[in-house]
């Protein structure tokens, strides 16, 4: 709770938290705000926005409600972003913790694997993975996490190296605590805050990557995404630019909110560390 209070005291954290809270509520209550299948044909094709009360943001080339697509697309974007970030952080924490705490040949081997994944651009890795395996939400999440776990692993390792020789860790060794228990109980809680601050950036990158994959036609065709809506609108960009503009604005607001939350979280963690 203290961390949340420190976060909300920063302008970036307050704005970012507010934006993401609204988006989370929209995603949570999407079936209430826009009942039914957002991919169904709901009205006349290419209805201009703000001309029909039934379709406040208009309809696309097939007569699908743009507002329904944006509302349900928020659920997809946040789900993919959070799931990919959690998977990447879980793998990165395990690898970084093992490398930093074990040291020696284990550290060397794991860091070479990390280097190999960092050499390949994460988007190209996700693109190749989805192209080979097939397009679905779990595959997209796994593909994004595959390209995002290396940074948390390297950051975790650096943090572990800075704390593994401190007095409380040495005391745990003296009393006979098992190395795994030392890593999980004594080291992990102290290296976690900087890695959690990095998680917001991973979420933002995951949302952008998912949108880019959907834009290229490599997203799940059975669900609506902001990337696929932008791709749908590019064919009539001159006559009906709103088809790409509205989902594009939703994507920008989400990513900006995540980045602002990341900045606020970093300041809140620094303030807590300084206060301690």
């Amino acid at each position: 709770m203290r961390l949340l209070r420190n976060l909300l005291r920063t302008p970036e954290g307050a704005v970012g938290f507010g934006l993401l809270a609204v988006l989370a509520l929209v995603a949570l209550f999407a079936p209430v705000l826009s009942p039914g299948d957002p991919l169904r044909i709901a009205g006349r094709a290419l209805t201009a926005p703000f001309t029909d009360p039934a379709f406040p943001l208009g309809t696309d080339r097939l007569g699908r409600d743009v507002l329904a697509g944006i509302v349900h697309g928020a659920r997809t974007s946040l789900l993919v972003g959070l799931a990919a970030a959690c998977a990447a952080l879980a793998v990165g924490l395990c690898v970084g913790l093992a490398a930093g705490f074990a040291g020696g040949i284990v550290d060397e081997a794991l860091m070479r694997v990390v280097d190999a994944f960092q050499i390949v651009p994460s988007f190209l890795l996700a693109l190749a993975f989805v192209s080979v395996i097939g397009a679905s939400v779990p595959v997209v999440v796994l593909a994004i996490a595959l390209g995002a776990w290396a940074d948390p692993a390297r950051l975790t390792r650096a943090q572990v190296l800075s704390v593994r020789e401190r007095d409380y860790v040495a005391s745990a060794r003296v009393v006979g605590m098992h190395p795994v228990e030392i890593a999980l109980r004594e080291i992990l809680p102290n290296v976690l805050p900087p890695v959690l601050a990095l998680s917001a950036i991973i979420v933002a990158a995951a949302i952008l990557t998912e949108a880019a994959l959907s834009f290229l036609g490599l997203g799940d065709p059975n669900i609506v995404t902001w990337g696929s809506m932008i791709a749908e609108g590019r064919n009539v960009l001159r006559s009906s630019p709103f088809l790409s503009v509205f989902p594009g604005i939703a994507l920008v607001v989400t990513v900006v909110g995540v980045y602002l939350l990341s900045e606020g979280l970093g300041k809140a963690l620094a303030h807590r560390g300084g206060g301690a």
Side-chain angles (χ1 to χ4, degrees), residues 47-68:
T47 300
F50 314 119
T51 59
D52 187 342
F55 309 107
L57 299 185
T59 59
D60 66 5
R61 295 189 304 163
L62 299 179
R64 296 174 296 194
D65 188 358
V66 173
L67 179 60

Side-chain angles (χ1 to χ4, degrees), residues 15-176:
V15 174
F17 183 84
L19 288 175
L20 292 181
V22 171
L23 287 168
L25 289 174
V26 169
L28 184 63
F29 293 103
V32 178
L33 297 173
S34 180
D37 185 1
L39 294 175
R40 76 184 189 281
I41 296 176
R44 183 170 55 88
L46 294 177
T47 300
F50 314 119
T51 59
D52 187 342
F55 309 107
L57 299 185
T59 59
D60 66 5
R61 295 189 304 163
L62 299 179
R64 296 174 296 194
D65 188 358
V66 173
L67 179 60
I70 291 175
V71 169
H72 285 267
R75 172 174 287 189
T76 303
S77 293
L78 292 179
L79 174 64
V80 170
L82 292 174
C86 289
L89 287 175
V91 175
L93 280 169
C94 291
V95 172
L97 194 61
F101 188 70
I105 190 171
V106 174
D107 182 21
E108 189 69 21
L110 290 176
M111 285 301 99
R112 296 297 74 77
V113 174
V114 171
D115 290 340
F117 274 87
Q118 285 190 314
I119 289 173
V120 182
S122 57
F123 178 71
L124 292 182
L125 186 61
L127 185 65
F129 190 84
V130 174
S131 299
V132 172
I133 304 299
S136 67
V137 171
V139 172
V140 170
V141 169
L142 183 58
I144 295 173
L146 198 62
W149 68 271
D151 288 336
R154 189 170 290 280
L155 178 59
T156 301
R157 173 184 176 271
Q159 293 296 315
V160 171
L161 291 177
S162 70
V163 303
R164 69 177 184 179
E165 301 300 332
R166 292 185 181 177
D167 292 341
Y168 60 86
V169 178
S171 299
R173 290 195 184 99
V174 170
V175 299

